[in-house]
């Protein structure tokens, strides 16, 4: 009877372990290193040998909590067929073994010293790119005192570090990746990591630590950035720097840190904090280093999924949905102004035109469309900035809004003397939504406003183009107000592991490829970084995958009436993100009714009824500048999935950058 392909890799490794007790397992992500370690440990146990393993991939260790290097001993009595029994951990409080490779290597060194005899398998991170991978290969072999190094990889895939392996002067063994082995993909990897973290915390209890008595090492956020601490993973260390346990932060309140951690540990003598964090969606991910918010420029393209930057206007929620970055420019207390950056197109959309002081004139040149809810000053006052910034040879900017908007903008333009702009006069196309009709107007500085032929509106769609549409409904604020939905057709994403496997660096060519795919232009050739050209269809099959687009809804300045709720719910049902005003507390409901605004409770109820993925409340009354926690607490009672909060936000986080 022939041996299965999955087990055929065991004998060579077992033979190698007969000659060398410490073996470093390397290879790209998804090559089956963890599975091979388990299989070999089980076969050694059948011989009566005890095998240890160092799980050195903090992003997704084969056992133990993520965010740590874990030491385990194979126990054939665990589970149905044996498993690793966790003996010790070294907390990194990070999922990124490449970025924090020095702490990773030191953790491996300390844990490896605990094993004096017997087989030890060191399961390395799947980092096989760049300088980080080269340095890790050499450093992990030294720190773990490896006697031999194994590389698992698909047949035919070249070793990226042949010189480094030769420099090690260790016996080398190349094994084929398991036939069934596959890179789990970012989403599955995140889910598995989160499940492992939740399992580790299953017996955790809440405790409180006085930070004035504890040194903090690593890369912690500033003490005054309290929102950035929420959800952070921390390591609790003893006086010698060894890990007692790991925990998850509830909140930082002054110098008191509230967290969940295992109960049966001695009091810690220090903490390690880096960038592992519980995201708003409940998943464990990587946080972006906290920084004060810079002016927003059109080419500013940080790889973030959600960040909270402190400003004088309160937290400035920023989130990313695929190729879209959305920022509430003036925070939760300032004038409404939502900036949607279509990152791959170097183009921007604006929703409302509040104070634009933090936006650059260069960005105004790249604004193609503006969607204005209504013409109150805090929603339209920024038009003068847009007007001035577009003096020059620019295509007309499209502006959408409720009835009367064109007249208001024309009045602002007519209040200025335009005797010197000539052909460089700023131009706009304004579209007013009148029920089921869209009334267009042409505005050019120094010229009379011109009405154009109206057109019918299909299901509230104001604007539609390749890749997305923007839909609106009319609400009541004592004046007609529009709420908007940004609706992508599909999201086209890059399989990063395949990009790396082909040796192609990311760049603008990927944006071109995505546009070709969205346009159905399969035969068009796309230039690769090396200069060669390939058909879009071929590259798409190799590198891309698609998923339904994530809808974003923006709604502000409307009264809590049954009609308003009904219309907004129809627009926002099932949206990924709802940005919704929450101006007052429930005990201020009379003022909310008089002014045509929502209470925090109403905001939470609407989000729950619409079953949105995440809620970003904003447009808070400035009277709550010192007690915004009360508004968030009221919202959470009805809808807990807040994408950005003051005092309950996980802080800046990024998409995974771990191995």
């Amino acid at each position: 009877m022939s041996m299965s392909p999955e087990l055929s890799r065991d004998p060579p490794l077992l033979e190698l372990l007969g000659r060398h007790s410490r073996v470093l397992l390397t290879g790209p992500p998804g090559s089956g290193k963890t599975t091979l370690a388990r299989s070999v440990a089980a076969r050694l146990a059948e011989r009566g040998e005890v095998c240890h393993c160092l799980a050195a991939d903090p992003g997704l260790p084969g056992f133990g909590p993520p965010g740590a290097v874990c030491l385990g001993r194979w126990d054939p009595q665990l589970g149905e067929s044996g498993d690793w029994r966790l003996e010790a951990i070294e907390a990194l409080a990070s999922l990124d073994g490449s970025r924090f490779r020095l702490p990773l290597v030191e953790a491996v060194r300390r844990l490896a010293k605990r094993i004096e005899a017997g087989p030890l398998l060191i399961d390395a991170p799947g980092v096989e790119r760049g300088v980080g991978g080269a340095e890790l290969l050499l450093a992990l072999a030294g720190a773990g005192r490896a006697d031999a190094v194994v590389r698992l990889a698909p047949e035919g895939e070249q070793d990226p570090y042949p010189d480094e392996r030769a420099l090690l002067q260790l016996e080398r063994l190349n094994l084929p990746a398991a036939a069934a082995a596959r890179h789990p993909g970012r989403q599955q990897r995140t889910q598995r990591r989160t499940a492992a973290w939740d399992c580790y915390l299953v017996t955790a209890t809440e405790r409180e630590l006085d930070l004035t008595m504890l040194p903090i090492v690593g890369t912690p956020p500033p003490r005054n950035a309290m929102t950035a601490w929420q959800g952070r993973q921390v390591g609790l260390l003893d006086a010698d720097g060894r890990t007692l346990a790991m925990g998850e932060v509830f909140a930082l309140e002054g110098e008191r840190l509230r967290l969940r951690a295992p109960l049966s540990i001695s009091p810690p003598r220090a903490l390690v904090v880096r960038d592992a964090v519980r995201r708003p969606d409940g998943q464990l991910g990587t946080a972006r280093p906290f920084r004060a918010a810079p002016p927003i420029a059109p080419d500013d393209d940080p790889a973030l999924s959600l960040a909270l930057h402190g400003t004088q206007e309160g937290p400035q929620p920023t989130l990313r949905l695929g190729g879209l970055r959305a920022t509430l420019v003036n925070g939760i207390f300032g004038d409404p102004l939502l900036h949607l950056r279509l990152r791959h197109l170097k183009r921007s959309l604006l929703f409302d035109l509040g104070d634009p002081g933090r936006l650059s004139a260069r960005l105004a040149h790249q604004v193609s469309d503006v969607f204005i809810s209504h013409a109150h000053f805090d929603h339209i006052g920024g038009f003068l900035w847009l007007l001035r910034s577009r003096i020059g040879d620019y295509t007309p900017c499209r502006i959408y809004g409720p009835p009367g908007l064109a007249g208001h903008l024309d009045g602002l333009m007519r209040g200025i003397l335009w005797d010197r702009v000539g052909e460089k006069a700023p131009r706009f196309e304004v579209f007013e939504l009148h029920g089921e009709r869209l009334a267009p107007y042409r505005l050019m500085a120094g010229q009379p406003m011109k009405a154009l032929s109206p057109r019918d509106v299909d299901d509230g769609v104001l604007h539609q183009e390749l890749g997305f549409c923007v839909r609106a409904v009319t609400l009541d604020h004592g004046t007609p107000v529009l709420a908007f939905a940004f609706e992508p057709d599909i999201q086209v994403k890059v399989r990063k592991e395949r990009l790396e496997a082909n040796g192609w660096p990311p760049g603008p060519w990927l944006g071109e490829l995505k546009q070709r795919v969205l346009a159905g232009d399969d035969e068009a050739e796309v230039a690769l970084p090396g200069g060669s050209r390939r058909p879009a269809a071929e590259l798409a099959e190799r590198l891309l995958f698609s998923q339904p687009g994530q809808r974003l809804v923006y709604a502000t300045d409307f009264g809590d009436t049954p009609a308003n709720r009904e219309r907004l719910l129809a627009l926002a049902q099932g949206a990924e993100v709802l940005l919704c005003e929450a101006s007052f507390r429930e005990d201020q409901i009379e003022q909310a009714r008089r002014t045509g605004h929502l209470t925090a409770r109403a905001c939470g109820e609407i989000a729950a009824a619409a079953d949105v993925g995440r809620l970003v409340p904003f447009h808070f009354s400035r009277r709550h500048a010192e007690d915004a926690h009360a508004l968030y607490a009221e919202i959470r009672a009805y809808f807990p999935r807040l994408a950005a909060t003051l005092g309950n936000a996980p802080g800046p986080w990024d998409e995974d950058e771990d191995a």
Side-chain angles (χ1 to χ4, degrees):
M1 183 175 180
S2 63
M3 184 178 299
S4 76
E6 303 305 317
L7 295 178
S8 64
R9 301 175 306 162
D10 291 3
L13 181 53
L14 287 166
E15 292 175 9
L16 185 66
L17 285 168
R19 298 188 296 272
H20 305 288
S21 61
R22 293 180 177 236
V23 174
L24 177 65
L25 301 178
T26 69
S31 56
K33 300 186 299 294
T34 300
T35 302
L36 177 60
R38 292 176 57 87
S39 177
V40 166
R43 297 184 72 167
L44 288 171
E46 293 173 359
R47 301 179 182 178
E49 296 184 59
V50 176
C51 181
H52 284 84
C53 181
L54 266 175
D57 180 357
L60 188 62
F63 55 90
V69 176
C70 305
L71 175 64
R73 172 177 56 84
W74 186 260
D75 187 342
Q77 303 303 316
L78 284 181
E80 295 182 1
S81 56
D83 207 341
W84 297 110
R85 182 178 295 279
L86 187 64
E87 291 191 333
I89 63 173
E90 286 283 340
L92 295 184
S94 174
L95 310 172
D96 193 338
S98 179
R99 179 183 174 196
F100 293 104
R101 50 189 179 270
L102 179 57
L104 173 68
V105 169
E106 287 304 307
V108 169
R109 189 187 311 279
R110 287 192 294 269
L111 290 177
K113 287 181 179 179
R114 292 173 174 247
I115 307 303
E116 297 180 355
L120 173 63
L121 299 172
I122 305 168
D123 187 356
V127 179
E128 288 206 337
R129 59 182 185 271
V131 175
E135 290 183 348
L136 271 177
L137 174 61
L138 296 172
L140 288 176
R145 293 182 290 161
D147 306 308
V149 59
V150 172
R151 182 172 188 264
L152 283 77
E155 290 190 25
E157 184 173 308
Q158 292 187 345
D159 183 355
Y161 306 121
D163 294 337
E164 284 77 7
R165 289 184 204 277
L167 183 62
L168 287 173
Q169 297 184 358
L170 302 176
E171 183 174 350
R172 287 175 280 171
L173 173 65
N174 293 319
L175 294 176
R182 294 289 185 275
H183 190 288
R186 176 170 292 164
Q187 183 176 4
Q188 185 180 3
R189 184 177 171 89
T190 299
Q191 292 172 346
R192 286 166 54 184
R193 165 198 305 139
T194 304
W197 181 234
D198 289 339
C199 181
Y200 177 78
L201 292 177
V202 71
T203 60
T205 59
E206 184 173 345
R207 59 172 57 202
E208 190 172 287
L209 301 176
D210 183 357
L211 295 189
T212 62
M213 307 296 292
L214 292 172
I216 301 178
V217 298
T219 57
R223 296 283 184 91
N224 60 358
M226 296 184 183
T227 58
W229 286 80
Q230 178 71 23
R232 288 277 177 154
Q233 188 186 67
V234 299
L236 290 76
L237 312 180
D238 65 13
D240 297 321
R242 292 174 299 202
T243 300
L244 297 168
M246 299 179 72
E248 181 178 318
V249 174
F250 278 135
L252 175 62
E253 299 167 349
E255 295 294 339
R256 310 298 295 181
L257 189 71
R258 292 194 298 114
L259 74 159
R260 285 194 302 159
L263 179 63
S264 57
I265 62 169
S266 57
R269 294 292 179 260
L271 300 178
V272 57
V273 184
R274 289 193 176 94
D275 59 2
V277 69
R278 176 87 67 171
R279 296 172 172 172
D281 60 1
Q283 303 297 316
L284 187 65
T286 298
R288 238 179 140 254
F290 182 88
R291 64 182 183 186
I296 299 171
D299 293 328
D300 181 34
D301 189 23
L304 55 87
S305 300
L306 179 139
L308 291 178
H309 301 305
T311 72
Q312 67 273 20
E313 304 292 359
Q316 183 200 46
T318 301
L319 50 87
R320 192 173 84 175
L321 300 174
L324 171 74
R325 189 181 76 227
T327 304
L328 278 172
V329 174
N330 296 316
I332 58 175
F333 293 104
D335 290 358
L337 173 54
L338 176 67
H339 172 214
L340 296 193
R341 183 66 177 169
L342 307 180
R343 299 168 49 247
H344 300 300
L345 301 179
K346 292 191 174 181
R347 174 180 159 201
S348 292
L349 313 181
L350 301 180
F351 289 75
D352 275 335
L353 274 173
D355 179 4
R358 297 189 61 254
L359 298 177
S360 68
R362 191 159 59 102
L363 184 141
H365 304 159
Q366 298 182 8
V367 172
S368 60
D369 301 86
V370 181
F371 302 87
I372 294 178
S373 61
H374 62 300
H376 283 161
F377 193 87
D378 56 336
H379 296 257
I380 202 174
F383 176 71
L384 294 178
W385 160 82
L386 185 65
L387 183 62
R388 181 175 184 178
S389 300
R390 295 184 73 89
I391 297 174
D393 187 18
Y394 302 110
T395 57
C397 177
R398 295 180 292 262
I399 303 180
Y400 301 82
L405 176 64
H408 292 301
L409 299 180
D410 182 53
L412 290 171
M413 294 177 69
R414 285 189 289 106
I416 299 169
L417 180 62
W418 297 102
D419 60 326
R420 300 190 179 185
V421 293
E423 293 299 318
K424 295 185 177 181
R427 291 167 290 165
F428 300 90
E429 295 174 355
V430 182
F431 302 86
E432 296 179 354
L433 181 61
H434 295 256
E436 301 300 319
R437 304 273 284 176
L438 203 61
Y441 298 84
R442 182 175 298 148
L443 272 65
M444 182 173 177
Q447 302 293 325
M449 180 173 72
K450 183 178 181 180
L452 305 176
S453 300
R455 63 177 173 85
D456 292 335
V457 171
D458 183 17
D459 199 20
V461 175
L462 303 180
H463 176 83
Q464 187 161 20
E465 63 177 79
L466 178 66
F468 72 90
C469 73
V470 176
R471 194 185 309 273
V473 296
T474 301
L475 306 177
D476 180 23
H477 181 51
T479 184
V481 169
L482 299 188
F484 303 100
F486 177 88
E487 301 180 351
D489 297 338
I490 61 172
Q491 285 184 316
V492 179
K493 295 189 174 183
V494 177
R495 299 184 187 274
K496 291 186 178 180
E497 69 278 5
R498 295 189 181 179
L499 188 69
E500 294 165 359
N502 283 276
W504 293 328
W509 68 277
L510 288 173
E512 179 189 353
L513 174 59
K514 291 180 179 181
Q515 289 303 303
R516 297 291 189 187
V517 170
L518 288 172
D521 196 0
D522 293 342
E523 300 304 317
E525 291 193 338
V526 177
L528 294 169
S532 62
R533 304 180 70 87
R534 302 279 183 86
E538 176 189 333
L539 291 173
E541 183 176 359
R542 184 180 298 189
L543 298 177
L544 304 183
F545 69 99
S546 63
Q547 61 187 39
Q550 295 175 299
R551 297 169 56 240
L552 178 148
V553 175
Y554 172 89
T556 186
D557 289 60
F558 59 97
D560 185 13
T561 66
N564 279 346
R565 286 205 184 200
E566 180 180 356
R567 292 170 187 161
L568 181 56
L569 288 176
L571 181 71
Q573 193 68 42
E576 173 63 24
V577 175
L578 170 63
L579 297 101
C580 184
E581 75 153 50
S583 299
F584 300 101
R585 294 194 310 262
E586 181 65 15
D587 59 5
Q588 299 162 332
I589 191 169
E590 289 304 320
Q591 183 166 5
R593 287 172 177 165
R594 287 197 308 271
T595 57
H597 284 285
L598 291 189
T599 63
R601 171 178 176 170
C603 173
E605 289 177 342
I606 289 170
D611 193 25
V612 300
R614 291 175 285 168
L615 170 65
V616 181
F618 74 108
H619 207 12
F620 293 177
S621 170
R622 290 182 183 273
R623 69 178 60 198
H624 296 299
E626 301 300 325
D627 69 338
H629 288 83
L631 292 172
Y632 284 115
E634 189 171 299
I635 294 168
R636 280 196 299 270
Y638 298 91
F639 188 84
R641 298 192 298 276
L642 300 187
T645 66
L646 181 66
N648 192 41
W653 55 267
D654 197 354
E655 291 193 3
D656 299 347
E657 295 181 1
D658 51 291

